[in-house]
Amino acid sequence: MVENKIKNIYIHMTRKCNLKCSYCYFNAGDNSDADHTVNTELSFEEFNGLFKDIAALSPEKLVFTGGEPLLRDDIYPIAAAFRSIDASRRTRLCLMSNGTLIDENQAFQIAKHFDEIRISVDGLPYTNDRLRGEGVFSKAERAIRLLNLAGISPGISVTLTSENSGKLEAFMEYAVDNMHVNQFHFSPFRPVGRGFNRNDLLCSWTYAQSVIFRFWEKRYGFIHVKKDAESYMLKTCGSCGIGCYINILQDGSVYPCHVLSTPEFLIGNIRQQSLSDILNAESVLKKLESLDLKEIYKKYPQIESLYTDAVCLGELLINSCESLKKLL
């Protein structure tokens, strides 16, 4: 068995969502395939088998995402099943939610079953609701208040776009002062899924990062980030950290990440193989791990124009020449 490098595992519990965010990389909330989605979701029994493999891998974090995970009626029994298998709590169990379905009882259940929760909020009311839907900000704010009262401190996940990058400081100040949030998770918008061809939403990660750091230093007198973003920039090291995380869709399909979730990047399905067998097989994941984009873009100079300050390997592969894809 190869040495395990997996740090984070993301499971899309469902494709169903009660929102339809304009940039959603997963196309969640598309009612046209709602019946198909329900029929292909992993069952409670299938999760039990998957969790044994995940516990053996002992990643730092297991993330339940979606769609909206709280639309699954069995979300808490599923969470309890993982915790019973990982009784020593070597892996942190995280929930990602839009927050709109969280009432007092849901907040209590989340605090009971999860180590961490992130609520997606993309700015102050006008900005957030323009991207995520009318009235969503107030519901997310209420969820954050209820979660704090239930004893779990929520973080906020922000997708950085041209719509919100210039208003980050005001939003962070409001979130700290009024929502009592002290954890933020920022991800640059990727033009995939519903965001495909939405290049108008792209923004400068370097600029956004400078605003974030300036606010944090002004507010707290220091800057603390869990991951040095510079060390994962392709121009610096030739890799975005691929191979350290995997993405499991609601039907059991396993992909290298949420950007590379199209058929040509499929590395297996847990309904056909165990997760450990999938990760140990000679697959596209191994080839992706071995790629050094610093060297490749010298060979294929036409892809250099695709580099931005926060480009990921997935974007390069999706948008680059066929010659580069043939390396896989």
Side-chain angles (χ1 to χ4, degrees):
M1 183 172 179
V2 296
E3 180 185 356
N4 173 44
K5 299 179 181 179
I6 302 298
K7 291 184 178 180
N8 295 340
I9 296 177
Y10 295 83
I11 302 180
H12 291 267
M13 307 301 291
T14 181
R15 190 179 287 274
K16 293 181 294 182
C17 189
N18 58 323
L19 302 183
K20 200 169 183 179
C21 300
S22 59
Y23 55 74
C24 180
Y25 69 82
F26 200 46
N27 275 323
D30 186 349
N31 293 327
S32 63
D33 64 349
D35 292 338
H36 173 73
T37 295
V38 172
N39 293 333
T40 60
E41 288 177 358
L42 294 175
S43 67
F44 179 85
E45 291 73 23
E46 287 173 315
F47 274 115
N48 260 327
L50 173 61
F51 288 159
K52 292 174 184 176
D53 261 1
I54 291 176
L57 289 169
S58 190
E60 293 178 8
K61 190 175 294 185
L62 174 62
V63 182
F64 289 2
T65 183
E68 172 50 55
L70 295 180
L71 285 172
R72 281 198 65 135
D73 295 336
D74 56 356
I75 189 68
Y76 300 121
I78 290 173
F82 176 74
R83 189 51 71 212
S84 67
I85 292 171
D86 181 42
S88 60
R89 291 183 175 264
R90 293 180 298 173
T91 297
R92 287 182 61 81
L93 189 58
C94 175
L95 178 69
M96 296 188 71
S97 171
N98 60 42
T100 60
L101 302 176
I102 296 176
D103 56 18
E104 290 183 12
N105 178 61
Q106 292 271 23
F108 172 79
Q109 292 294 333
I110 290 167
K112 177 181 177 182
H113 289 95
F114 291 90
D115 301 303
E116 180 181 337
I117 178 167
R118 300 182 190 177
I119 302 296
S120 297
V121 189
D122 287 338
L124 291 169
Y126 174 78
T127 302
N128 180 84
D129 291 1
R130 180 179 167 92
L131 291 163
R132 304 180 61 79
E134 186 177 353
V136 171
F137 179 89
S138 62
K139 292 177 181 178
E141 183 174 29
R142 178 175 183 269
I144 289 169
R145 177 175 60 82
L146 291 174
L147 289 162
N148 276 315
L149 289 173
I152 185 169
S153 179
I156 285 180
S157 286
V158 182
T159 298
L160 292 169
T161 68
S162 58
E163 295 273 352
N164 61 16
S165 61
K167 307 164 189 172
L168 280 177
E169 189 166 358
F171 169 58
M172 293 178 71
E173 186 171 358
Y174 181 90
V176 170
D177 290 338
N178 296 279
M179 299 181 182
H180 308 294
V181 168
N182 58 17
Q183 292 184 51
F184 295 87
H185 306 268
F186 298 95
S187 301
F189 161 73
R190 307 292 184 195
V192 295
R194 197 174 294 134
F196 187 67
N197 284 335
R198 288 298 309 272
N199 289 340
D200 59 299
L201 290 177
L202 291 169
C203 67
S204 168
W205 169 243
T206 300
Y207 168 75
Q209 195 176 49
S210 70
V211 174
I212 295 163
F213 286 179
R214 184 172 64 245
F215 168 81
W216 212 255
E217 189 169 28
K218 181 175 71 174
R219 186 72 185 233
Y220 299 106
F222 68 94
I223 297 173
H224 175 67
V225 289
K226 290 187 178 180
K227 180 177 75 176
D228 179 7
E230 188 71 25
S231 68
Y232 281 89
M233 289 171 64
L234 293 180
K235 271 198 169 179
T236 307
C237 69
S239 173
C240 56
I242 200 160
C244 294
Y245 37 79
I246 56 171
N247 198 41
I248 303 175
L249 301 195
Q250 81 287 345
D251 64 355
S253 300
V254 183
Y255 292 91
C257 69
H258 71 271
V259 176
L260 297 176
S261 293
T262 51
E264 64 265 40
F265 298 107
L266 177 70
I267 59 176
N269 190 297
I270 61 98
R271 284 175 162 155
Q272 300 164 2
Q273 296 173 273
S274 68
L275 183 59
S276 57
D277 285 345
I278 291 171
L279 296 179
N280 284 315
E282 291 300 322
S283 67
V284 67
L285 183 62
K286 296 286 192 302
K287 295 176 182 178
L288 287 167
E289 286 182 75
S290 67
L291 289 181
D292 185 339
L293 269 294
K294 286 191 302 180
E295 298 302 319
I296 291 173
Y297 89 82
K298 294 176 184 176
K299 185 176 180 181
Y300 301 103
Q302 61 266 49
I303 75 167
E304 186 173 7
S305 63
L306 297 172
Y307 274 107
T308 66
D309 57 1
V311 71
C312 71
L313 178 59
E315 287 177 84
L316 284 181
L317 289 170
I318 287 172
N319 296 305
S320 65
C321 60
E322 290 304 313
S323 300
L324 177 55
K325 291 180 182 178
K326 286 178 182 177
L327 293 172
L328 303 177

